[in-house]
Amino acid sequence: MNAIELLKSDHKTVERLFQKVKATDEGEHKELFVKIKAELDVHTHVEEKIFYPRLKEEEELEDITLEGVEEHHQAKMFLRELSNLTEDSEKFEPKLKVLMEDITHHVQEEEGIMFPKVEKVIDKAELEELGKRMEEEKKNFQKSQATSSGK
Ligand SMILES: [Fe+2]
Ligand SMILES: [Fe+2]
């Protein structure tokens, strides 16, 4: 998979989880949130470690990439806050809803504006190579997460 295909496929996975949240009762949302967080943790990690640094080298991609980093930062704050809420907090559902809205917006910007620009300035061979590195990094990250959480 090239870099863009890989990221879009991650986006789809997350979107499917969002749809599940919308289609299920609140009782199932905690478990879905754990899955959403795991997906977003690894996804933002590879974007920030491999994809975004390469984009920032291109003048026409610099602004949108910097904006992406800030949106990731907001998402991470929300993910942390959601993880830290007490079991019965009334903030859980509204915070999860806002997180999903923010992520949907971020994904629309990446797929609608950023990726088409990327495809213009970075050639296919390099996107393929970036995709391979990102796949590797996803595996490494997931391994390190499993170790640090004692699983
Ligand atoms: Fe992103
Ligand atoms: Fe993304």
Side-chain angles (χ1 to χ4, degrees):
M1 258 193 280
N2 79 31
I4 289 179
E5 287 163 351
L6 180 135
L7 294 174
K8 280 188 177 171
S9 134
D10 282 358
H11 291 166
K12 259 203 200 105
T13 304
V14 172
E15 177 56 32
R16 260 184 238 125
L17 290 166
F18 288 178
Q19 293 308 329
K20 271 193 196 160
V21 169
K22 288 173 193 159
T24 53
D25 295 331
E26 294 186 3
E28 298 185 43
H29 292 179
K30 289 254 156 59
E31 211 181 306
L32 285 166
F33 167 69
V34 171
K35 288 184 186 162
I36 289 169
K37 182 174 184 302
E39 286 295 329
L40 291 176
D41 283 349
V42 63
H43 180 79
T44 53
H45 172 76
V46 293
E47 281 189 340
E48 286 177 21
K49 178 145 188 193
I50 295 168
F51 192 61
Y52 283 6
R54 173 63 187 88
L55 269 47
K56 260 169 54 186
E57 292 170 14
E58 306 290 336
E59 209 188 323
E60 60 262 66
L61 290 168
E62 202 184 347
D63 287 352
I64 193 162
T65 306
L66 289 170
E67 198 184 318
V69 171
E70 292 308 315
E71 288 175 353
H72 283 188
H73 174 66
Q74 278 188 332
K76 284 176 199 171
M77 284 194 319
F78 262 76
L79 289 168
R80 200 177 318 125
E81 286 173 8
L82 276 156
S83 299
N84 289 338
L85 286 176
T86 52
E87 194 61 39
D88 57 347
S89 173
E90 62 180 19
K91 286 180 188 271
F92 183 81
E93 288 297 327
K95 223 180 248 299
L96 181 60
K97 194 172 171 211
V98 174
L99 173 81
M100 295 194 298
E101 284 167 359
D102 288 352
I103 298 291
T104 301
H105 164 85
H106 176 70
V107 165
Q108 277 166 358
E109 282 205 342
E110 286 187 339
E111 294 196 4
I113 303 168
M114 181 192 274
F115 295 174
K117 282 187 182 176
V118 169
E119 282 168 325
K120 273 189 201 138
V121 292
I122 302 178
D123 66 35
K124 282 212 164 98
E126 195 183 348
L127 285 175
E128 203 59 52
E129 139 87 23
L130 284 168
K132 284 213 180 77
R133 283 175 52 207
M134 282 155 71
E135 250 165 292
E136 266 316 294
E137 186 59 32
K138 277 182 83 170
K139 280 183 209 145
N140 290 337
F141 183 80
Q142 276 160 337
K143 242 183 255 162
S144 74
Q145 291 292 95
T147 324
S148 66
S149 66
K151 271 179 226 156

